[in-house]
Amino acid sequence: LVGSLAAELRSRLPDPGARRRVLERILGGRAADLVHAGDEAAGLAEMRRELDGASATPPGIVYLVGAGPGAGDLLTLRAHRLLGEADVIVHDRLVSDAVLDMARRDAERIYVGKHRADYALPQAEINALLVRLAREGKRVVRLKSGDPLVFGRAAEEASALAQAGITFEIVPGVTAALACAAQAGIPLTHATLASNLTFVTAHLRDGVLDADFDALAAVGGTLAVYMGLATLPALTSGLIAAGMPATRPAALIERGGTDAQRVLFADLGALAERGAGWAESGPVLALIGEAIGARPRVDPAARMPA
Ligand SMILES: C[S@@+](CC[C@H](N)C(=O)[O-])C[C@H]1O[C@@H](n2cnc3c(N)ncnc32)[C@H](O)[C@@H]1O
């Protein structure tokens, strides 16, 4: 039955993406139910109705999707499905090939960068790009590493989309702190040692480390420090000057949640010096807190299935 409509579909909807969406609707909807129930005439009529209602440029939609820490199997099933359906993937530097490879082969991929030294598109232009693509009727997946709402600027993109009247949805992802801790066997909270977990960023604003050291030293619990490798000496000395003990356990984790993860454990007072050799070849997260000292002392290899 669909075959009998193929030529009409092609001439009415020259854009393959628009055509695929109408076909998906037809095959997954009432028309298919009618055909399965044996009423081919009603099924065909329903398919025609769907086709007549289909506009050449259907409204686009943008999904702001968390890609997780990099491993291909650490993203949600929803993210995986949306990647397979998207017409365009707009992605950052930290999104791994393992995840990008889940996109449809004919999907357009647009790299918009995001790194201190390798800055591709300013945020305002990324916002404008998402709005333009959606207005062209595209189904867009905006892929961000980890979770889009954790140091991911998804809220700015969502606001721009809302202002432009574009439908959007935010799909959560496994944020770096959770992936790093899980793979390194580090508890982020602990019954007696850590009753809170603080996500903090430690990058420079106008050349100065933008952190409230007194508050961070006072809050206790575990600190998960994003974007902190370059500023580690200023961060650790600032925390110690604000009263955090230099003996507090800490860790640096690079490429957490991937096969290439590496971990360094050190006391807070020694973390910057021990981590000085860590050139930023992959993303690095710092964890600081008493709970880190309570990790199970097991050879990581022993935790892996044979
Ligand atoms: C712009 S932030 C993005 C955070 C991301 N939205 C998330 O939820 O994980 C980039 C920082 O996240 C951290 N990061 C991201 N992925 C990581 C990974 N796989 N391992 C360690 N740190 C990671 C690093 O501190 C990096 O500098």
Side-chain angles (χ1 to χ4, degrees), residues 30-248:
R30 198 172 123 72
D33 291 345
L34 289 165
V35 173
H36 284 307
D39 192 346
E40 283 202 6
L44 189 58
E46 182 63 22
M47 284 182 201
R48 290 212 156 281
R49 212 185 53 75
E50 285 277 4
L51 194 49
D52 288 343
S55 114
T57 47
I61 183 164
V62 178
Y63 298 94
L64 302 165
V65 176
D73 53 359
L74 274 182
L75 77 169
T76 63
L77 292 174
R78 189 181 301 180
H80 182 257
R81 174 174 58 77
L82 293 171
L83 272 168
E85 293 172 357
D87 303 311
V88 190
I89 313 288
V90 178
H91 66 98
D92 285 355
R93 185 187 63 99
L94 284 180
V95 174
S96 68
D97 288 343
V99 172
L100 285 173
D101 286 347
M102 292 171 192
R104 263 186 15 235
R105 269 232 283 259
D106 60 334
E108 185 186 354
R109 292 183 188 185
I110 304 177
Y111 169 75
V112 290
K114 261 311 162 64
H115 189 239
R116 277 174 288 114
D118 155 33
Y119 196 63
L121 262 197
Q123 188 63 50
E125 287 181 38
I126 297 176
N127 299 350
L129 173 71
L130 297 176
V131 168
R132 177 173 64 73
L133 291 168
R135 287 199 171 134
E136 286 169 7
K138 302 273 171 44
R139 198 183 310 199
V140 182
V141 162
R142 166 71 170 118
L143 259 186
K144 290 167 172 288
S145 75
D147 182 273
L149 294 170
V150 178
F151 305 123
R153 304 188 72 168
E156 290 164 58
E157 294 173 13
S159 298
L161 292 165
Q163 254 172 29
I166 308 279
T167 307
F168 68 90
E169 182 185 321
I170 302 177
V171 179
V174 178
T175 189
L178 307 189
C180 290
Q183 196 158 307
I186 297 173
L188 291 170
T189 62
H190 188 276
T192 54
L193 298 172
S195 60
N196 60 61
L197 168 62
T198 304
F199 289 3
V200 57
T201 177
H203 61 187
L204 298 173
R205 184 165 301 192
D206 301 327
V208 179
L209 187 52
D210 183 24
D212 183 343
F213 292 117
D214 291 333
L216 292 174
V219 75
T222 305
L223 299 182
V225 186
Y226 289 70
M227 292 175 271
L229 185 62
T231 55
L232 208 52
L235 175 82
T236 52
S237 57
L239 289 172
I240 293 168
M244 193 179 273
T247 52
R248 184 148 293 174

